Amino acid sequence: MKMKVLPVLCWAIVWVWLLPSDSWAQVTRIDVDVVESPALGGERFGNVGQYERLRGIVYAEVDPSDPRHRDIVNLGKAPINDQGHVEYSTTVEIYRPIDMSRWNRVLYHTISNRGGAGAAEPALLEMGLALVRVGWQGDLLPTESNIVPFLPIAANNDGSPIVGPALEEFIFNDAKTVSTGSLTYPAASLDTGKARLTVRRNQSSPRLTPEGLTWKFTNAEEIQITRPDGFDGGAIYEFVYEAQDPIVMGLGFVAMRDVISFLRYEKRDDVGHDNPLVFEGLASAALSLGISQSGRVLRDFLYQGFNEDVSGRIVFDGVHPNIAGSRKTFTNYQFSQPGRWQKQHEDHVFPGDQFPFTYTTLTDSVTGRTDGLLERCVASNTCPKIIHSDGEAELWQARSSLLVTDSVGGHIELPDNVRVYLIAGTQHGGGRGVHGATPNRGICQNLSNPMALAEIRLALSVALHEWVVNGVEPPESRFPTVKNRGLVSAAKVEFPEIPNVEYSASYNPLHVHDHTSLPPKDGKAYTVLVGRVDADGNMVDGVRHPNLSAAIGTYTGWNLRREGFGEGGQCGGTGSFIPFASDQTEREMFGDSRLSLAERYPTHSEYVQAVSTAADRLASQRLLLPRDKQRIVEVARSSTV
């Protein structure tokens, strides 16, 4: 008997030794208090009731020798504690039901966009979710309300500052003659001979130092620019300088991973503070939503392997990147700038938009590399279920076609755990509704696009919850593809002739960038496609909002800058709204080929019926929640169309 027991014990010891180590916790202390109860004005959310808001700081540390951290830039040059670990902290905000017996045991993480705080849509609160935001963007200054991390600054081994080249871009969009530009990192020297400022009219123009362009340091973190004659408000000012004190920005990904992992899996921290999301057990699932910048962060989080925690467990079971396009972020770099957003006119040359673009592993014919966003989570068996949704603007401005094509525009298939949706007729982030606030032009040629996007995004978030928690398959992907002929080159879009509207086939191109030099050098181009349109100029494929199916104008994902502001360049993020004529007489007087409102909807009731029919169809496909369907129809009924 003894001879049999000993090997079993030995194997047990070996097995424990082989398990992922949890001998020390990533999160060492969580100081979170209830700061508002009830929160959200005391509103009650269905059977869940009222919510309360918690806020505080999470303290954590990272083992630089852990292989999961090997690619965090400058982690090895960050200060370490007596255990050889790198310490950081971050703000966390939590909304939980006051009556935690109403919690549905799902943790719903919304990635903070530029430090933004807040809750979620009422429909999600009514489901009983616990809502969490974790600070990740380390170059933001903390305030009483924002969500930020506190990340270490890297230094050389001898304690001296790390110094290296950095690039800033300024577009002022005004007619001033003297302007200031803030630097993300302090200049290592105030010697103007060690920096260079250029100006150019647009991305394809040469970088110039014309007479009249002068600049000076006002301090180590700001320059003053005297702008030259002959360049309008849309001119691009590019500043290359020697910066110092890089933040270990990749720890922002770690912060999200560690805090969510703690809230999912641990009952208390190292000093005995309870996990605020423990109630007769722990969370059963975790989801994450990222919108715009945050959607790009979420894609980067997956790509860089952070959906595996230090114990080898999955962090998020489901993720929803929204309006991210094919891009990632300029985060895990030396002298990184996570707030940059690569567009056709602005921020075009910054890192964060290079291969890989999609969730399928591909060999890139442009660079010869083989990669995909899910390579690391596949290797660690921690891939989540993924719903990726974009608006039409992401085709024109964020190269969203590269989600469903290879680098030369060929059709590809996506993995089984991925669904993709393109919300047609929307600008970046959508608008407030076609019967809401009056659109304006600003620095653009056309009126801004009011088509809403949020209702469809919300329905997709609910579908992701159902997929993860209940195993209910989400709606089939609804995205234009080469295979279904929904994607075409911008030059082949058959946009209608509309008075005083220019269609220039302008989109945000993509080249391989060599970032070893500043400014970076362009290499070979990728094939970027856009959506086909109907006779009105409205996109045909994807998910069409009821107000696009029953349109009162043309809604595009693109707009152009007007005279005085980089004329002809894309008006970043903004789409166009071009109203239909009121009747046939007006249409013919202006030479508009599109049918007028009266020709489409002879009576108001016929317009309302068209909206209602489209809304019913979308709701039946689980792409619109019943509450939003009813509201959209009611708004149409009270409109003047």
Side-chain angles (χ1 to χ4, degrees), residues 72-75 77-79 86 151-154 246-252 331:
I72 299 176
V73 173
N74 282 335
L75 181 62
K77 296 183 178 181
V86 176
L151 307 181
I153 292 173
I247 301 168
V248 187
M249 205 75 76
L251 285 174
T331 299

Side-chain angles (χ1 to χ4, degrees), residues 612-632:
S612 179
T613 299
D616 285 341
R617 181 170 59 249
L618 219 54
S620 70
Q621 297 165 345
R622 296 170 55 219
L623 294 168
L624 192 66
L625 299 183
R627 62 192 296 158
D628 288 326
K629 179 191 77 170
Q630 296 167 6
R631 184 186 55 78
I632 289 167

Side-chain angles (χ1 to χ4, degrees), residues 423-581:
I423 304 170
T426 55
Q427 65 181 29
H428 184 69
R432 297 183 179 180
V434 301
H435 301 298
T438 303
N440 62 80
R441 286 186 170 81
I443 64 170
C444 308
Q445 293 183 13
N446 306 318
L447 294 172
S448 59
N449 185 341
M451 184 65 66
L453 176 151
E455 298 107 330
I456 295 169
R457 180 184 66 224
L458 174 59
L460 293 172
S461 288
V462 172
L464 177 63
H465 176 274
E466 290 296 300
W467 193 13
V468 168
V469 174
N470 299 319
V472 178
E473 292 281 329
E476 289 297 316
S477 292
R478 293 275 293 273
F479 206 98
T481 65
V482 171
K483 188 175 182 179
N484 67 18
R485 299 181 181 179
L487 292 175
V488 297
S489 70
K492 292 185 178 179
V493 169
E494 297 178 353
F495 197 77
E497 291 289 335
I498 304 176
N500 302 314
V501 174
E502 174 189 7
Y503 175 73
S504 66
S506 174
Y507 66 96
N508 188 11
L510 180 63
H511 293 78
V512 175
H513 276 154
D514 177 5
H515 288 104
T516 60
S517 64
L518 291 182
K521 297 175 182 177
D522 276 357
K524 294 180 180 178
Y526 289 92
T527 298
V528 176
L529 304 175
V530 298
R532 62 174 176 151
V533 301
D534 60 21
D536 295 323
N538 285 321
M539 190 174 154
V540 175
D541 299 284
V543 183
R544 289 167 60 97
H545 191 283
N547 289 328
L548 185 63
S549 295
I552 60 173
T554 298
Y555 304 88
T556 77
W558 57 267
N559 206 331
L560 300 177
R561 287 172 164 261
R562 63 178 173 87
E563 183 180 5
F565 298 95
E567 184 175 12
Q570 281 216 348
C571 211
T574 309
S576 300
F577 171 53
I578 309 152
F580 295 142

